[in-house]
């Protein structure tokens, strides 16, 4: 068997073992208790994308990550977000809270007025369903903005 196929087979085995350990609860998922942890989780996902993407991090009652879900992919300076899609995901995965995360490919840290409106609308929608919007983090290059840190949530 050529080395490349053997390497691929080994990688598949390791991935299978990792998946089993994760399913068995042997790998502890960290609690996302502050914006810096959120940034560390999402920076690798969003750091080199040239268009905006909106993600939600769905959390359990211990603030541990249940699932990361990409909600939308947009253009250079916007990504359409349907509040109902986020709420559907939160309900489907039994999340008690969630964090919205999106990127600004321009590197601008400051949220736009559209970001502010979306955050407020999302907060109200979540409250209606007794789900808590913990934070909205904007990944902007090697920096980030947190609505919670700025006292806007």
């Amino acid at each position: 068997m050529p080395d490349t196929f053997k390497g691929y087979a080994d990688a598949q085995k390791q991935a299978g073992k990792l998946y089993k350990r994760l399913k068995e609860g042997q790998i502890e998922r960290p609690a996302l208790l502050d914006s810096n942890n959120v940034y560390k989780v999402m920076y690798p996902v969003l750091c080199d994308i040239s268009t905006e993407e909106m993600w939600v991090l769905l959390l359990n009652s211990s603030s541990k990550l249940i699932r990361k879900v990409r909600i939308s992919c947009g253009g250079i300076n916007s990504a359409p977000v349907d509040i109902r899609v986020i709420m559907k995901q939160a309900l489907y995965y039994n999340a008690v809270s969630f964090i919205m995360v999106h990127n600004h490919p321009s590197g601008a840290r400051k949220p736009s007025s559209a970001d502010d409106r979306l955050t407020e609308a999302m907060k109200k929608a979540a409250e209606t369903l007794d789900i808590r919007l913990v934070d909205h983090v904007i990944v902007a290059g090697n920096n980030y903005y947190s609505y919670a840190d700025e006292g806007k949530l």
Side-chain angles (χ1 to χ4, degrees), residues 123-152:
K123 181 181 175 186
K124 288 178 184 175
E127 285 172 352
T128 301
L129 296 171
D130 196 26
I131 301 171
R132 185 170 163 249
L133 173 59
V134 175
D135 203 349
H136 180 176
V137 174
I138 300 170
V139 175
N142 292 325
N143 208 341
Y144 68 93
Y145 178 92
S146 163
Y147 277 81
D149 291 353
E150 298 296 327
K152 292 188 170 186

Side-chain angles (χ1 to χ4, degrees), residues 92-151:
Y92 181 80
Y93 288 104
N94 296 316
V96 297
S97 60
F98 67 99
I99 300 168
M100 296 178 4
V101 184
H102 82 278
N103 64 322
H104 279 177
S106 67
R109 185 179 167 274
K110 185 179 180 199
S112 67
S113 57
D115 293 336
D116 292 342
R117 285 191 303 273
L118 173 64
T119 303
E120 189 58 35
M122 188 59 64
K123 181 181 175 186
K124 288 178 184 175
E127 285 172 352
T128 301
L129 296 171
D130 196 26
I131 301 171
R132 185 170 163 249
L133 173 59
V134 175
D135 203 349
H136 180 176
V137 174
I138 300 170
V139 175
N142 292 325
N143 208 341
Y144 68 93
Y145 178 92
S146 163
Y147 277 81
D149 291 353
E150 298 296 327

Side-chain angles (χ1 to χ4, degrees), residues 29-42:
R29 292 181 181 211
L32 295 175
L33 300 173
D34 63 52
S35 60
N36 191 43
N37 285 345
V38 172
Y39 176 74
K40 287 177 184 176
V41 166
M42 292 305 296

